[in-house]
Amino acid sequence: MGPFHVPLSTVWDVLTGAHGVDDTARVVVLDIRLSRAVLAWLAGAVLAVAGAAYQGVLRNPLADPFTLGVSSGGAFGAAIAIHIGLTGSLLAGSGLTALPLAALAGSLCALLVVLMLGRLAGPFRRETLVLAGIVVTTFLSACIAFVKSLDEEAVSAIVFWIMGSFQGRGWAHVLLFAPYAAIGTAVVFLLSKELDILALGDTQASQLGVNVNRSRMLLLFGASFAAAAAVAVSGIIGFVGLVVPHLVRLAIGGAHRPLLAVSALVGGLLLLWSDVLARIVLPGGAELPVGVVTALFGGPFFCVLLARRARRESA
């Protein structure tokens, strides 16, 4: 789907490799739309899995990739890359620039700083880690504002990136994103049983044979590693990691292995169709940032969830 109409029969012919297909349609379907759809689905799946992992480890229903500064770190790395002009193509014709790599580095550096601050404060406490994430996020937001003030010409590019979009992304971005996302999500899925046990509390988890500190750090790192990869290729996309695990938990319960799997499916579909709306809702081929679409739908929906939960608890 998009401003350039391609009939469904032509899409099928392109995907099956039929002869006689128009070259323009082939490029649009394979090189532009299919790569973008794959990337949108993978990014949504990763953000939802990361959100479910954060909420389980921190036992905080409001935890998501923003919580530990991963998103803000990526935004700061991207802002620096735009400011110093690292927007040229790394591979001829790929559309891949140094910007995603800078965003990935910024996300991971922000995570390391948050974890270091959490350790400096003494034994692990969820509240301390969340506060460290808020501090780092606030500081990086100020740094981004400072970069904007230094380079007014780059403000629009920085703001557009921060709002989140898959415009101009291609297979090179999928290949950049996939290894990091696979490593991070694999760590989270492998430790899904530990997530269930950690929900019982640190003392009971230790009595059941779980190395609490090791499992917690691995889960946080895996979720953050995957979320950082998503932020690197898509910018900041809110509410997917926050709303989707809540929705899935209401539907199937809190056991983490099925929760993670279904969250990945729902998160991927949500971001895929949000990107479709972002492409077709405006006339003349103009696009909305997909982060705007997820926020417009996610904000009111999350308010409804909170209201329903409050009514249940007061009943």
Side-chain angles (χ1 to χ4, degrees):
M1 298 176 70
F4 181 82
H5 178 64
V6 181
L8 186 60
S9 58
T10 303
V11 174
W12 177 255
D13 289 340
V14 170
L15 294 178
T16 56
H19 296 291
V21 178
D22 180 66
D23 289 339
T24 301
R26 191 182 301 276
V27 169
V28 168
V29 172
L30 291 180
D31 296 337
I32 298 176
R33 292 187 187 166
L34 182 59
S35 60
R36 182 167 174 166
V38 169
L39 186 62
W41 193 93
L42 290 175
V46 161
L47 290 172
V49 167
Y54 282 132
Q55 291 168 16
V57 172
L58 300 176
R59 282 192 275 170
N60 184 341
L62 297 179
D64 72 345
F66 288 90
T67 305
L68 299 187
V70 172
S71 297
S72 296
F76 179 64
I80 292 295
I82 293 170
H83 173 61
I84 63 179
L86 296 179
T87 54
S89 182
L90 293 176
L91 299 173
S94 68
L96 180 64
T97 69
L99 197 152
L101 296 175
L104 180 64
S107 294
L108 296 179
C109 287
L111 171 66
L112 291 176
V113 171
V114 170
L115 294 179
M116 287 172 58
L117 289 175
R119 282 189 173 275
L120 288 175
F124 177 87
R125 293 182 61 192
R126 293 180 298 277
E127 298 84 358
T128 302
L129 202 62
V130 171
L131 286 174
I134 293 172
V135 168
V136 170
T137 296
T138 305
F139 176 74
L140 290 175
S141 297
C143 291
I144 294 169
F146 179 67
V147 172
K148 290 179 185 176
S149 68
L150 291 177
D151 188 357
E152 293 184 2
E153 294 181 0
V155 168
S156 59
I158 293 172
V159 170
F160 186 79
W161 190 91
I162 289 175
M163 287 191 293
S165 176
F166 295 104
Q167 187 174 10
R169 308 305 194 265
W171 290 113
H173 294 84
V174 175
L175 294 176
L176 171 67
F177 166 77
Y180 299 100
I183 291 170
T185 52
V187 169
V188 172
F189 272 95
L190 288 172
L191 294 173
S192 58
K193 289 185 178 179
E194 282 79 355
L195 262 177
D196 288 332
I197 298 173
L198 287 173
L200 302 174
D202 291 359
T203 302
Q204 286 181 286
S206 297
Q207 292 172 348
L208 291 170
V210 173
N211 187 329
V212 173
N213 288 329
R214 175 179 171 275
S215 297
R216 184 185 287 122
M217 286 300 109
L218 283 174
L219 282 163
L220 287 175
F221 183 78
S224 300
F225 200 63
V231 170
V233 296
S234 66
I236 297 178
I237 297 175
F239 286 98
V240 176
L242 181 64
V243 171
V244 170
H246 273 285
L247 180 64
V248 174
R249 199 177 286 111
L250 287 173
I252 68 171
H256 277 91
R257 179 159 290 183
L259 173 66
L260 292 169
V262 179
S263 292
L265 176 63
V266 175
L269 290 173
L270 173 63
L271 194 51
L272 174 62
W273 283 102
S274 296
D275 185 50
V276 170
L277 281 176
R279 282 187 279 129
I280 67 175
V281 71
L282 295 180
E287 289 191 18
L288 279 174
V290 68
V292 173
V293 177
T294 59
L296 287 173
F297 284 99
F301 183 75
F302 191 64
C303 289
V304 171
L305 285 181
L306 288 178
R308 290 183 60 187
R309 181 174 179 177
R311 283 199 300 269
R312 276 204 315 270
E313 291 177 351
S314 62

